[in-house]
Structures are given as structure tokens and as C-alpha cells.
């Protein structure tokens, strides 16, 4: 129970720090701008995939609650909010960051209103027909742990802040005889909740739940097979003297998935909902709650709510422990302190602009995988029963295909305990589900099947090889083998109709081989090492590139290297073909040697647009080739890694809503920036080597977790660094010159100083 007690104590200590001094000097948390990337606009992104798709609201590091505004339910608006929308529907307690595929969560939608009660949210074109409101960005305040906006149609100021498992809202009303807080219990991003229950507990409190299943949409519009129940325990600082519940009658056979949110027929059912005054409790398919009261000019009304995925009692205890009183500012400051502590694990010296990008990226990398357990450690297991974790925090939201590349390697450095928690959570899921293999893209215990490959194996191997081993290693390796046996290249030596899968499976075979070797299973290690050569099976000399194979072994029809959907996922053969991170010498040999490797690598970057938006060459908005800029370290011109990573950091990232050129993908896009901007990035997780590149900052200091690593801190110093001096002239580690552009995990975690001397001209360092 150590972990659980520590988290509870840490939060209570923060709450007791009522008087918090604000330093004149900026702290890491002051650089966070949560509106960076907060758009789903396809037009702005020049792509069907949209922009960053982050949310601007309040959360805590890896916390259960994300309390944020929602501008659109329906369409491809997974985070619920888009800066390019002009109305707000309300503020809900759960969100996903940076995802596509219709999204999920967005539960317990709270909206303050005045005047006539409206049970329908209204439309974007005619918000006055419902309860939504217009707003202006000039009135938005977006900070780590705090969000505020003026709802123009009501002249109500809304403020949000949150604790790890609870949230509190403060509304400042105009003078009105009929002010209101209303809560849409049916609301869910990507669909609706199937069933809701609500009951009055006392004169200031309601509690209940919202059941969400694939039948009513959610992740992948139901294709993700996500099922969960959100329990709530909600208190008001006003008496429940005038409250009610509305219930919409939804006929059988009517779709309640994502399309329902833009369906005029479905909207009419909500508009015509039956309103029941002051019921003790109600159950239904589409419920909403309201509380009405008069207000004076600038009168403030507060609501606070605990959230749980386990029980109403769990939600109640989460609220009582984390927000015991009505002190909004105290919670806001406590959350700010939580973020400042989390972000201070890395300290940088550089320009104000770069610090904003860096610390906002670090913030985005610490939202998931989130806590899914209550404050007492109880969680809803994959066997649909309640369990209690004793020595780790049960976590959810593993965007595997994205985050194994940068986000988890980053966390192995700065948050190894979280990585340990995540692996323990997978072991529980594999065992309790009866599947005995790892999830690919996990959400609320669901093996959603989203994307491809076996990324959990990569994360496991990387963690194990870097000394993170606080779990059942034998069982973890057993489940890794089961995972690869279920979805791998098999006896054919390739994945039918898929170049992407073949290359990804070859890599995770290598990962298993690494663990087999490290645990003394030398003969099995050889087997997996041989299987990792499967990438050779999809090399076609006739086109001199990688090419997907059909079931009978013949080649898939060829349309050229830069044409998408030739057995490639969200990529083309040119982009996907570089994914042989575990055997770069073998890749060079296939290509025809070093000279041809260099030629192809240069060609891959020659046609990249200046803004790095979606394109057919190096495509930074998506993950498959995120490692490729670092491959120049294996070329005859290693300084090109330095040139391109600095260019990407400068032009693909920014300080406003357009600051992410593609989907954030649950921390991956931001984690790439953090590592590259520090001057180190892995090509092959599971290998202890980090490539050295040109740092954005003059100085970086990483605080190491001494529960896992022997060193206290590791420094990276770039002498004479500037926007012109981007090339590394020489490198020294702990005062001794090293003639290489790589460093090992052990060299970092033992502590010390990596020094680079920068200049305007490229030099050859291997």
C-alpha cells in the first residue's frame, strides 16, 4: 500500500499549503500553454487527420480527471474541444489528449445557464436553440491546472481546476431570477452513454453513474469495444431546493452512436425530453439534471465532483480526500504545485519561446497513461470485478503504436515508477481478461485493436534492459511471447498484405530476443534473433524497396514508393520502409551499401515542406518515421541529423494553437520534441543507445529517480549554442573527449555531464 499512501499524503500536504508564494522568477509550470495543439481543424492542418487534438482544460500529472471545455460532440473531435469552433457545450470531467478515431470519455458535462431551461445542446449555427453558448478566445485563460472563459450568451464566467480524481468549477453569474447549473449525464464523446442513474443524497449532493458500452459508440464509434462505467459524487454550495431531471425517450432501433450527435431526428428526442421535478432518483437512457437558483450580479456558485471507475463510494471518498472544502484557489494552487514538481524533473536554459514549447510538451507527455484506480487503490479489472492494487497504481490509456517510439523512452528516464506501474497494469489485464497476452492500444481494459504491431513488447523490453523490473519478469516474458505468437509474422515470415505489420513484428521479435538473452535463455534468443530478420522477406530487388506480399507469396501490385495504402498503415512504402531500427547494418546491405543508404536518406528529406505538415516524404505529423532524422548518425554525413532535428524543432512546433503539426497522439509528438531538444533520442527502444544530436538549449539538467538509478542528475551543456551554431564540433563526457555521437542509458543514469561544443560548420564525428 506504500504507493497509495504516498499519493494520498502528498495531495493532503499540498492542500495544507494555503499560502503559496509566487516567485518573481518564472518556474517550469509558468511556461505551459495548454492551448498549444488544441484544434481538430482539417482545414488548418491541410490534412484529414487534423492538428494536435489536445484539450486545454485542467488535469494533474497522470491523473484520473481531465476537466475541460467541450465545443463539439460528434464528428472527428476526439478531445471534445477545438479552438476553431466558436461555441461551448459545457465542461466535462474526462478527456483523451491528441487522439483521432472519434474519441471517447467526455463524461459528466456541466453547463451554467440562465433563463428558460433547455434540455438540448443546440447547434453550432444556432446555439440559442439549446444550452450551449458562444465564447471568445480573448476571454480564455489556459494554464496548467486552470481554465477560465466567459460564456457570452449568458455573461457567465466559468472557471475550472482539478485534483487527481476530482474537480471543482466556479461560476460567476449576472443578476438573474433563474440561474442554473445543468448536467448532461448522457453525453459522451464519440457517441452517448447507454444508461444513467442519479439520486439525491442530501440537500447539497447527488450521486450516480453513466454506463458506456460499444453499443452506443465511443472509441472508434464502437469498433474499439470500450466498456466502462463512470461513477460520480457531486456536491453544490447551493441547496437543492429547486432541481429536476429530464429524461428523453429514445425508441428502440435508433442509433445512439457518434452520428446521433448531428442527427436532427435524435435531437428532437432530446428537445422533447420529459422534465421531472425533484425526483429522489431516476434511471434512463438519456438523463440530465438541473439545479435552479436566483443570483445577484457577480455572485459565485461552486460545484465539486469526485469521479471513479469503480463505485459511487469510491467517487465519494475521492472527493472527500482530495477536495474536502470549497476553497477553489487552494485546489488551483495545489494542482499548480503538482505540475511544477513534475515538470521540474528537467530544467533547461534557453529562449522564452523554446521554454514554452518544451514545458508544454513535457506537460502533454505526462497526461497518460492515467490513473484508473481510486484513492484507496481499488480498480475495475479486466475480469469486470473490483480489485485493489497494493504496490502500484493501476493505469489506462496506452496509445501503443505511437508512444513506444519516444514517450515511453522519455518516461523511462524521468518517470520510471510510472513505467513500472504500466507494465504491472498490463500483467493484470492479460491475466484477468483470460487472454494472457498484452494489449496493443488499451483503453479502460479494452484490447481495442487500434493500429498495429505489438508495442507493449517494445516498452517492456526497453524498461527491462534499462533496469526497470518491479514486476513478475517471468510472467511478463511469457505474455510477450504469447502476444507475438498471436500477432506476428508466423511461419510465413511476413504479415499477409501488410508491409507495416511485417516490419513492426520483425522489430518486436528482436525485442523478445533481447530479453531472452538477458534472462539467460540463449537458445530461444537465437530463434527470435533469426525471426527479426523477417524484414528481408519484404524487400523486392525489382523495385529496390520494401513491398508487401500477398497470401500466396507474390508481391502486392506496385504503384510507386510514395503512394499510400500499399500494405502500409497511415504511410507509404517510402515512409514505412525505414522501420528496421534493430538492424541498420542489415538495412544498408539490402539497399546496396553505405552510399545507396545515404542517397535514399537524403532523397527522403529533399521534398519535405517547410512547415513539416502532412506529406509523402519525411512526415513528422505521424509516427512511422519519427526515428528517421536520427538515421543520419549512421550515414556518411551525421551532421544532417543535427540539421534536421533543429529544423523540425524550430518549424514543426510552435507556441500557439498551431504548435503541433499533427495529432499529439497521447504524448508521442511532444515527447519526440523533448528528447530531440535535449539532444538525445533513441532509434531502437530495447537498445540502451541514444543518438546525440544538436540540442535546442544551452543547458539541460535531468533529475534522476534514485529508486531506480544510481546518479542524482545528468547535465547536457551545449557551449556556444545558437540558431546559427547548430553543428556539433566536439563532444565530452564527464570531462573526457569522446569521438562518437551516441551515449548509453547507463552513462546517463550514472549521472554526470555531457558537453557539446557548437559551431556554424558541420564536422565529421561518427
Amino acid at each position: 500500500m506504500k504507493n497509495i499512501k504516498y499519493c494520498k499524503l502528498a495531495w493532503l500536504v499540498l492542500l495544507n499549503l494555503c499560502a503559496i508564494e509566487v516567485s518573481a522568477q518564472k518556474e517550469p509550470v509558468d511556461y505551459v500553454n495548454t492551448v498549444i495543439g488544441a484544434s481538430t481543424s482539417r482545414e488548418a492542418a491541410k490534412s484529414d487527420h487534423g492538428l494536435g487534438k489536445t484539450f486545454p482544460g485542467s488535469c494533474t500529472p497522470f491523473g484520473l480527471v481531465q476537466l475541460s471545455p467541450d465545443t463539439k460532440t460528434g464528428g472527428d473531435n476526439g478531445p471534445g474541444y477545438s479552438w476553431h469552433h466558436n461555441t461551448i457545450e459545457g465542461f466535462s470531467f474526462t478527456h483523451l489528449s491528441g487522439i483521432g478515431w472519434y474519441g471517447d470519455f467526455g463524461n459528466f458535462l456541466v453547463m451554467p445557464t440562465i433563463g428558460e431551461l433547455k434540455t438540448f445542446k443546440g447547434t453550432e449555427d444556432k446555439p440559442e436553440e439549446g444550452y450551449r453558448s458562444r465564447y471568445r478566445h480573448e476571454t480564455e485563460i489556459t494554464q496548467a491546472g486552470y481554465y477560465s472563459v466567459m460564456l457570452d450568451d449568458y455573461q457567465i464566467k466559468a472557471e475550472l481546476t482539478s485534483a487527481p480524481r476530482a474537480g471543482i468549477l466556479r461560476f460567476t453569474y449576472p443578476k438573474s431570477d433563474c440561474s442554473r447549473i445543468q448536467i448532461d449525464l448522457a453525453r459522451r464523446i464519440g457517441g452517448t452513454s447507454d444508461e444513467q442513474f442519479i439520486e439525491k443524497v442530501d440537500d447539497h449532493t447527488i450521486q450516480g453513474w453513466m454506463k458506456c458500452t460499444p453499443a452506443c459508440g465511443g472509441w472508434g464509434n464502437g469498433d474499439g469495444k470500450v466498456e466502462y462505467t463512470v461513477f460520480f459524487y457531486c456536491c453544490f454550495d447551493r441547496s437543492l431546493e429547486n432541481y429536476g431531471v429530464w429524461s428523453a425517450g429514445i425508441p428502440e432501433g435508433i442509433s445512439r452512436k457518434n452520428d446521433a450527435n448531428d442527427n436532427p431526428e435524435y435531437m428532437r428526442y432530446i428537445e422533447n425530453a420529459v422534465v421531472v421535478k425533484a425526483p429522489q432518483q431516476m434511471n434512463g437512457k438519456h438523463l440530465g439534471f438541473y439545479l435552479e437558483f436566483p443570483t445577484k450580479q457577480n455572485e459565485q456558485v461552486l460545484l465539486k465532483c469526485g469521479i471513479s471507475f469503480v463505485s459511487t463510494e469510491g467517487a465519494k471518498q475521492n472527493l472527500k480526500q482530495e477536495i474536502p472544502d470549497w476553497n477553489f484557489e487552494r485546489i488551483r494552487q495545489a494542482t499548480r504545485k503538482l505540475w511544477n514538481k513534475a515538470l521540474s524533473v528537467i530544467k533547461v536554459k534557453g529562449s522564452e519561446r523554446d521554454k514554452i514549447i518544451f514545458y508544454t510538451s513535457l506537460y502533454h507527455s505526462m497526461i497518460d497513461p492515467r490513473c484508473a484506480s481510486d484513492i484507496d487503490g481499488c480498480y475495475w479489472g479486466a475480469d469486470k470485478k473490483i480489485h485493489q492494487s497494493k504496490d502500484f497504481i493501476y493505469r489506462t490509456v496506452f496509445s501503443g503504436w505511437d508512444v513506444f517510439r519516444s514517450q515511453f523512452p522519455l518516461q523511462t528516464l524521468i518517470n520510471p515508477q510510472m513505467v513500472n506501474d504500466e507494465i504491472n497494469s498490463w500483467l493484470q489485464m492479460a491475466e484477468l481478461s483470460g487472454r494472457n497476452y498484452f494489449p496493443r492500444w488499451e483503453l479502460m481494459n479494452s484490447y481495442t485493436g487500434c493500429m498495429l504491431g505489438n508495442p507493449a513488447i517494445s516498452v517492456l523490453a526497453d524498461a527491462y534492459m534499462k533496469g526497470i523490473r518491479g514486476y513478475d519478469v517471468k510472467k511478463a516474458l511469457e505474455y510477450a511471447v504469447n502476444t507475438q505468437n498471436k500477432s506476428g509474422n508466423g511461419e510465413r515470415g511476413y504479415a499477409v498484405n501488410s508491409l507495416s505489420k511485417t516490419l513492426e513484428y520483425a522489430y518486436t521479435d528482436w525485442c523478445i530476443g533481447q530479453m531472452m538473452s538477458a534472462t539467460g535463455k540463449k537458445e530461444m534468443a537465437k530463434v527470435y534473433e533469426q525471426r527479426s530478420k523477417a524484414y528481408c522477406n519484404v524487400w523486392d530487388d525489382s523495385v529496390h524497396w520494401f513491398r508487401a506480399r500477398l497470401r500466396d507469396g507474390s508481391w502486392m501490385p506496385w504503384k510507386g514508393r510514395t503512394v499510400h495504402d500499399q500494405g502500409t498503415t497511415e504511410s507509404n512504402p517510402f515512409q514505412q520502409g525505414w522501420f528496421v531500427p534493430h538492424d541498420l547494418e542489415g538495412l544498408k546491405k539490402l539497399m546496396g551499401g553505405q552510399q545507396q543508404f545515404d542517397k535514399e536518406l537524403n532523397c527522403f528529406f529533399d521534398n519535405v515542406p517547410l512547415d513539416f505538415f502532412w506529406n509523402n516524404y519525411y512526415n513528422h505529423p505521424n509516427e512511422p518515421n519519427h526515428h528517421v532524422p536520427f538515421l543520419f548518425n549512421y550515414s556518411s554525413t551525421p551532421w544532417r541529423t543535427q540539421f534536421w532535428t533543429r529544423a523540425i524543432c524550430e518549424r514543426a512546433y510552435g507556441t500557439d494553437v498551431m504548435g503541433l503539426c499533427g495529432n499529439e497522439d497521447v504524448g508521442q509528438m511532444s515527447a519526440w520534441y523533448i528528447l530531440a531538444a535535449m539532444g538525445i533520442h533513441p532509434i531502437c527502444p530495447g537498445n540502451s543507445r541514444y543518438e546525440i544530436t544538436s540540442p535546442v538549449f544551452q543547458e539541460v539538467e535531468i533529475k534522476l529517480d534514485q529508486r531506480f538509478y544510481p546518479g542524482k542528475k545528468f547535465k547536457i551543456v551545449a557551449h556556444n549554442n545558437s540558431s546559427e551554431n547548430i553543428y556539433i564540433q566536439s563532444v565530452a563526457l564527464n570531462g573526457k573527449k569522446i569521438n562518437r555521437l551516441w551515449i548509453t542509458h547507463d552513462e546517463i543514469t550514472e549521472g554526470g555531464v555531457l558537453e557539446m561544443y557548437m559551431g556554424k560548420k558541420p564536422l565529421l564525428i561518427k
Side-chain angles (χ1 to χ4, degrees):
M1 301 287 287
K2 257 189 217 174
N3 236 346
I4 299 160
K5 287 179 180 176
Y6 174 79
C7 292
K8 181 176 175 180
L9 180 61
W11 178 253
L12 291 174
V13 168
L14 283 170
L15 287 184
N16 287 326
L17 298 173
C18 300
I20 298 176
E21 295 181 4
V22 179
S23 171
Q25 186 175 355
K26 276 189 176 182
E27 297 181 288
V29 69
D30 296 316
Y31 289 101
V32 175
N33 178 7
T34 61
V35 84
I36 291 177
S39 174
T40 65
S41 174
R42 296 181 176 188
E43 294 75 23
K46 307 173 190 176
S47 150
D48 287 342
H49 293 267
L51 285 166
K53 295 187 176 179
T54 61
F55 61 81
S58 174
C59 60
T60 57
F62 305 113
L64 186 151
V65 161
Q66 308 79 36
L67 182 51
S68 186
D70 292 279
T71 59
K72 170 79 172 171
T73 304
D76 187 8
N77 293 286
Y81 174 98
S82 180
W83 189 90
H84 289 92
H85 298 155
N86 58 14
T87 63
I88 286 177
E89 296 179 0
F91 310 92
S92 61
F93 276 67
T94 55
H95 289 87
L96 289 169
S97 178
I99 49 81
W101 214 34
Y102 302 110
D104 211 324
F105 292 147
N107 310 108
F108 203 77
L109 183 80
V110 179
M111 185 65 172
T113 61
I114 60 173
E116 178 188 0
L117 172 66
K118 294 172 182 175
T119 58
F120 170 53
K121 65 189 175 188
T123 63
E124 292 174 279
D125 294 335
K126 297 180 179 179
E128 63 277 359
E129 292 183 353
Y131 56 71
R132 76 167 78 206
S133 172
R134 299 171 183 87
Y135 75 106
R136 291 165 292 119
H137 295 302
E138 293 82 359
T139 69
E140 282 186 299
I141 300 174
T142 57
Q143 300 171 348
Y146 177 78
Y147 175 89
S148 177
V149 69
M150 176 64 74
L151 301 171
D152 289 340
D153 287 2
Y154 304 117
Q155 287 302 296
I156 297 172
K157 180 182 178 182
E159 297 174 274
L160 327 174
T161 191
S162 61
R165 299 170 181 84
I168 184 168
L169 301 95
R170 182 167 66 187
F171 302 125
T172 304
Y173 287 86
K175 178 176 171 36
S176 173
D177 292 332
C178 187
S179 292
R180 181 184 303 106
I181 292 175
Q182 53 191 89
I183 303 168
D184 187 339
L185 298 171
R187 197 270 179 157
R188 178 191 187 190
I189 293 171
T192 64
S193 59
D194 304 51
E195 182 183 4
Q196 309 90 42
F197 172 78
I198 184 171
E199 67 176 326
K200 178 184 176 183
V201 177
D202 57 38
D203 287 343
H204 290 85
T205 310
I206 57 173
Q207 68 180 13
W209 47 261
M210 297 85 77
K211 183 178 182 182
C212 299
T213 77
C216 288
W219 188 232
N221 202 22
D223 290 344
K225 298 179 175 59
V226 174
E227 185 172 346
Y228 60 93
T229 300
V230 180
F231 297 89
F232 63 88
Y233 188 86
C234 180
C235 300
F236 305 86
D237 72 345
R238 294 300 171 97
S239 175
L240 299 180
E241 293 179 8
N242 187 10
Y243 77 95
V245 174
W246 70 83
S247 178
I250 312 297
E252 293 296 330
I254 298 294
S255 172
R256 299 173 63 195
K257 291 191 173 184
N258 195 50
D259 59 319
N261 290 296
D262 293 313
N263 183 347
E265 182 182 5
Y266 194 87
M267 293 175 185
R268 281 193 292 274
Y269 297 128
I270 313 307
E271 282 182 290
N272 297 322
V274 174
V275 177
V276 180
K277 294 275 190 177
Q280 183 61 37
Q281 63 181 44
M282 280 190 70
N283 183 269
K285 290 183 178 180
H286 201 113
L287 299 183
F289 170 88
Y290 69 88
L291 170 63
E292 295 178 340
F293 40 82
T295 53
K296 300 173 184 176
Q297 184 67 28
N298 295 327
E299 188 168 355
Q300 293 183 336
V301 179
L302 288 92
L303 170 158
K304 61 181 180 178
C305 184
I307 297 292
S308 169
F309 294 116
V310 180
S311 65
T312 50
E313 180 60 27
K316 177 181 179 180
Q317 293 306 318
N318 289 343
L319 180 63
K320 284 192 170 184
Q321 293 291 335
E322 294 186 348
I323 307 182
D325 56 25
W326 292 99
N327 193 329
F328 182 95
E329 289 301 327
R330 186 160 60 130
I331 302 303
R332 176 182 175 182
Q333 293 298 336
T335 299
R336 183 184 186 279
K337 270 190 167 280
L338 274 182
W339 273 116
N340 200 54
K341 181 180 179 182
L343 298 171
S344 295
V345 71
I346 306 177
K347 294 184 178 179
V348 296
K349 290 183 180 179
S351 74
E352 293 294 286
R353 175 188 182 272
D354 292 334
K355 285 181 181 179
I356 291 170
I357 298 171
F358 185 87
Y359 282 114
T360 304
S361 294
L362 192 56
Y363 168 90
H364 281 144
S365 80
M366 293 189 198
I367 293 175
D368 285 305
R370 72 193 58 184
C371 166
S373 52
D374 289 339
I375 201 162
D376 62 359
C378 286
Y379 65 91
W380 191 253
D383 58 355
K384 300 183 179 180
K385 296 179 182 177
I386 297 174
H387 300 265
Q388 188 173 33
S389 57
K390 295 181 179 179
D391 52 6
F392 70 95
I393 295 173
Y394 195 72
R395 300 193 175 278
T396 188
V397 187
F398 173 58
S399 178
W401 186 72
D402 309 300
V403 297
F404 83 84
R405 306 165 197 267
S406 304
Q407 195 240 8
F408 265 89
L410 171 66
Q411 301 307 326
T412 63
L413 273 177
I414 63 173
N415 286 307
Q417 182 59 56
M418 185 282 293
V419 177
N420 202 74
D421 289 347
E422 180 69 354
I423 294 172
N424 273 300
S425 299
W426 293 340
L427 292 174
Q428 287 291 295
M429 291 173 204
E431 182 175 343
L432 296 177
S433 68
R435 295 171 184 258
N436 295 326
Y437 61 86
F438 292 133
R440 176 181 300 146
W441 209 119
E442 180 274 333
L443 178 58
M444 297 307 296
N445 292 318
S446 173
Y447 284 56
T448 72
C450 184
M451 304 315 294
L452 63 134
N454 290 319
I457 295 175
S458 170
V459 173
L460 170 64
D462 197 44
Y464 182 83
M465 299 304 290
K466 291 174 179 174
I468 301 173
R469 301 175 182 178
Y471 45 85
D472 188 329
V473 173
K474 182 179 178 182
K475 187 170 284 188
L477 187 52
E478 175 190 336
Y479 289 163
V481 170
N482 292 349
T483 305
Q484 196 73 351
N485 287 343
K486 184 181 185 303
S487 300
N489 285 323
E491 294 182 2
R492 280 193 181 87
Y494 65 89
V496 175
N497 299 328
S498 181
L499 170 59
S500 296
K501 290 180 181 178
T502 301
L503 297 181
E504 298 255 358
Y505 292 148
Y507 161 65
T508 44
D509 271 325
W510 176 86
C511 288
I512 292 177
Q514 291 294 104
M515 283 195 71
M516 289 288 188
S517 180
T519 54
K521 299 174 176 61
K522 302 299 182 182
E523 292 305 310
M524 286 303 298
K526 291 178 183 177
V527 171
Y528 282 95
E529 175 66 22
Q530 185 59 40
R531 290 180 184 176
S532 75
K533 306 293 185 184
Y535 68 88
C536 298
N537 299 333
V538 287
W539 176 268
D540 181 8
D541 275 328
S542 71
V543 299
H544 201 72
W545 200 252
F546 291 98
R547 185 176 180 183
R549 286 186 180 273
L550 305 178
R551 186 171 296 278
D552 63 5
S554 62
W555 296 109
M556 181 177 283
W558 186 248
K559 300 175 184 177
R561 293 197 294 183
T562 59
V563 177
H564 281 238
D565 301 323
Q566 298 180 79
T568 49
T569 302
E570 294 187 3
S571 61
N572 58 43
F574 203 13
Q575 293 165 338
Q576 185 64 72
W578 294 101
F579 193 76
V580 188
H582 57 291
D583 190 8
L584 295 176
E585 291 307 311
L587 177 62
K588 289 180 187 179
K589 187 175 180 181
L590 280 180
M591 288 184 174
Q594 185 71 57
Q595 188 174 354
Q596 189 63 29
F597 176 83
D598 294 355
K599 181 180 176 182
E600 296 285 15
L601 200 51
N602 285 322
C603 176
F604 192 55
F605 283 86
D606 283 346
N607 297 294
V608 176
L610 287 175
D611 59 12
F612 285 99
F613 274 24
W614 199 277
N615 69 96
N616 290 329
Y617 294 87
Y618 176 72
N619 191 37
H620 197 70
N622 211 17
E623 280 68 34
N625 44 216
H626 268 187
H627 67 295
V628 183
F630 305 96
L631 293 183
F632 284 107
N633 272 7
Y634 294 79
S635 77
S636 301
T637 54
W639 58 82
R640 293 188 188 274
T641 283
Q642 299 155 41
F643 173 85
W644 282 110
T645 60
R646 286 291 286 263
I648 295 165
C649 286
E650 175 67 25
R651 302 204 302 265
Y653 296 84
T655 59
D656 60 12
V657 71
M658 301 290 288
L660 286 168
C661 63
N663 293 179
E664 162 64 3
D665 283 323
V666 198
Q668 168 58 24
M669 189 74 76
S670 289
W672 187 98
Y673 177 88
I674 295 161
L675 288 164
M678 290 196 300
I680 54 173
H681 196 292
I683 282 177
C684 183
N687 185 325
S688 66
R689 170 170 166 160
Y690 298 80
E691 303 304 319
I692 293 175
T693 188
S694 176
V696 168
F697 297 97
Q698 286 79 45
E699 189 173 305
V700 176
E701 182 178 292
I702 304 170
K703 182 180 179 182
L704 299 168
D705 188 336
Q706 292 189 279
R707 294 173 296 175
F708 291 84
Y709 303 131
K712 291 183 178 180
K713 60 186 178 182
F714 183 75
K715 265 187 157 183
I716 300 169
V717 180
H719 300 284
N720 304 318
N721 197 15
S722 70
S723 59
E724 292 182 341
N725 296 343
I726 66 170
Y727 295 108
I728 299 170
Q729 309 296 296
S730 63
V731 183
L733 179 62
N734 297 327
K736 295 182 179 180
K737 185 176 180 179
I738 57 173
N739 193 35
R740 54 182 162 98
L741 288 172
W742 53 271
I743 188 170
T744 68
H745 184 76
D746 285 347
E747 287 174 328
I748 292 173
T749 56
E750 285 170 1
V753 182
L754 177 68
E755 292 178 278
M756 302 180 211
Y757 295 84
M758 313 301 293
K760 293 181 181 180
K761 296 181 179 180
L763 288 182
L764 180 61
I765 303 173
K766 284 282 186 176

